[in-house]
Amino acid sequence: MTSDKPVRRSQADRRAETRAKLLEAARGLFIEMGFAETPTPEIVRKAGVTRGALYHHFADKADLFRALVEEEAQAISVHIDRETRDVADPEQAMMIGSNAFFEAMLVQGRVRLLLEEAPAILGHSDAVALTRANGSEELRGGLACALPGHSPKQIDALTNLLSAAFDRAALEIAYGGDRMTYTEAMLHLVGEVLDGS
């Protein structure tokens, strides 16, 4: 016999749901209007929560934006890891990971949030640190495995340079560049780096 009584959700569940609503509402508005043009009352209204709920979860609009960007960067990292997890050959993993990055960046609005808004809102150093803590770590790990004779400083430099090239290619694709052309160019570039070892 089943009970008709509603299942009571825990306080933690309710908090997580409110936080998720705020992030989802903010994501749509930041993509549509940009960070600067998005008023916090509109985020609250769209999320269907109180202003107090916003400030319970986030210090301010910039803190909300940071949390959103962290989620976006983490989603890219998870996608790349899932695609490359069972690939034993380091060079093949680098190529598959490159494709996985471009697939992940096709998610609507992600390029704007990570590559346009984040550096402007968080500052260059914080935006780079955030992506390095997520997506770039896969690239660095792949390079370190594929180029075992390189020093950590060399791997860091290659990671930074290739990350910049990947980001530029993602921006070009987002603004109408041919995805296949840019993907092939990046794979060629990665291949040259690996072959030059």
Side-chain angles (χ1 to χ4, degrees):
M1 182 174 168
T2 60
S3 170
D4 290 337
K5 290 170 64 174
V7 177
R8 289 187 56 138
R9 294 178 304 142
S10 71
Q11 183 69 18
D13 287 343
R14 289 193 298 275
R15 276 196 304 268
E17 182 181 345
T18 299
R19 187 176 191 277
K21 284 180 179 178
L22 285 162
L23 287 166
E24 182 181 357
R27 186 184 196 283
L29 290 167
F30 290 155
I31 291 168
E32 178 187 342
M33 302 167 65
F35 175 85
E37 299 302 318
T38 301
T40 51
E42 182 62 15
I43 297 170
V44 168
R45 187 197 64 73
K46 189 170 181 183
V49 301
T50 65
R51 188 174 176 87
L54 171 65
Y55 293 110
H56 174 75
H57 290 278
F58 306 101
D60 53 24
K61 187 170 74 165
D63 188 40
L64 171 59
F65 180 80
R66 177 183 291 278
L68 176 61
V69 170
E70 286 174 353
E71 275 196 0
E72 295 291 322
Q74 182 62 29
I76 294 169
S77 179
V78 167
H79 181 71
I80 294 170
D81 181 61
R82 185 173 53 241
E83 294 299 309
T84 58
R85 186 178 301 140
D86 298 324
V87 183
D89 179 66
E91 290 190 23
Q92 187 182 10
M94 284 290 299
M95 296 302 183
I96 291 171
S98 297
N99 273 317
F101 170 79
F102 287 119
E103 287 171 3
M105 290 303 283
L106 288 175
V107 171
Q108 193 264 337
R110 190 166 277 167
V111 165
R112 179 170 189 180
L113 291 170
L114 291 176
L115 303 183
E116 295 176 4
E117 296 278 347
I121 307 312
L122 305 176
H124 174 75
S125 296
D126 282 357
V128 168
L130 198 150
T131 55
R132 183 172 292 134
N134 291 288
S136 293
E137 275 309 302
E138 278 74 19
L139 177 58
R140 191 189 190 289
L143 286 168
C145 286
L147 303 171
H150 284 57
S151 72
K153 281 188 176 181
Q154 290 173 315
I155 295 297
D156 285 343
L158 285 170
T159 300
N160 287 337
L161 292 170
L162 285 175
S163 289
F166 274 112
D167 288 350
R168 182 61 195 212
L171 276 166
E172 292 296 333
I173 292 166
Y175 283 97
D178 182 66
R179 180 186 171 198
M180 188 61 67
T181 300
Y182 279 96
T183 301
E184 287 175 355
M186 279 306 306
L187 291 176
H188 176 74
L189 183 57
V190 170
E192 288 294 307
V193 168
L194 298 181
D195 288 344
S197 63

